[in-house]
Amino acid sequence: YLALEGARLADESDLPSLPSLRIAGRPTAAGAAAPLPPAPAEPRVGPVICEDRDLRLLEQIKSVLGGGPDPVHIFQDSASALNRLKQYVLRGELPVLILGTDLEDPLDSRRGLGWKRFAERVRALAPRVRIAVLADQPGEPPAGIAWLMRPPAGRATAPDMDAFLQTLRGAIGGEP
């Protein structure tokens, strides 16, 4: 915050005799001004919406990405993820979308939607949304979509999970 010390009203002829103003940091217990903390060096990712059926993986992603100023939302169904995405788009924000490859269609429960159709629907709604896919098999994603191999469910070692989460953080990057 700013602190003004010794300010008083005066006309222009009295300017040289005015006490100086100084910017103070946060006050410490002794009353002296402490320096302001430095600005965060990490770029903002933006809100993150993650949809997958593996709750353990969702919780690990949230614990890694949720430490910053941006919210991380995890869902096990695509209808809820799509609704949250629409809320952000209506507010003019572009979230990061992380999708599992085993999605169900939120509009038609009789047919499987698949990540590709869901991503196309999202791109029609908000073309600049960053999308990452958590895949079970190697594959070739469409342009502009990050393809990440998911760690094996229940068999991933701590180093495997750390490497996956680091790759995920790098794939979603900073603001578009």
Side-chain angles (χ1 to χ4, degrees):
Y1 64 80
L2 294 176
L4 299 177
E5 294 180 357
R8 64 183 169 127
L9 297 174
D11 63 17
E12 290 180 1
S13 62
D14 197 22
L15 283 179
S17 65
L18 287 177
S20 63
L21 300 177
R22 71 180 179 92
I23 297 176
R26 292 192 173 106
T28 61
L36 294 173
E42 220 174 286
R44 290 192 60 188
V45 172
V48 177
I49 299 171
C50 189
E51 189 282 333
D52 194 79
R53 289 188 184 198
D54 185 354
L55 184 59
R56 225 169 88 198
L57 179 62
L58 290 172
E59 290 292 343
Q60 288 176 323
I61 290 172
K62 184 171 184 167
S63 71
V64 168
L65 300 178
D70 301 309
V72 177
H73 308 281
I74 58 174
F75 301 99
Q76 288 186 286
D77 67 287
S78 56
S80 299
L82 186 60
N83 286 336
R84 182 57 60 129
L85 176 85
K86 287 178 182 178
Q87 290 172 0
Y88 278 112
V89 171
L90 288 173
R91 289 191 302 220
E93 295 183 59
L94 292 174
V96 173
L97 186 61
I98 302 171
L99 303 173
T101 53
D102 55 352
L103 290 173
E104 291 182 9
D105 193 335
L107 303 176
D108 184 358
S109 61
R110 295 173 292 155
R111 294 186 353 219
L113 171 64
W115 69 268
K116 198 168 191 176
R117 239 177 87 205
F118 190 84
E120 289 169 0
R121 197 174 285 164
V122 166
R123 287 286 162 102
L125 182 66
R128 293 184 43 220
V129 168
R130 289 169 287 158
I131 300 174
V133 174
L134 305 177
D136 294 318
Q137 304 289 327
E140 195 64 36
I145 294 180
W147 189 265
L148 304 170
M149 292 302 298
R150 107 181 22 255
R155 296 177 294 160
T157 63
D160 291 340
M161 188 55 72
D162 290 342
F164 165 76
L165 294 170
Q166 187 66 27
T167 302
L168 175 64
R169 185 181 282 277
I172 62 175
E175 295 201 19

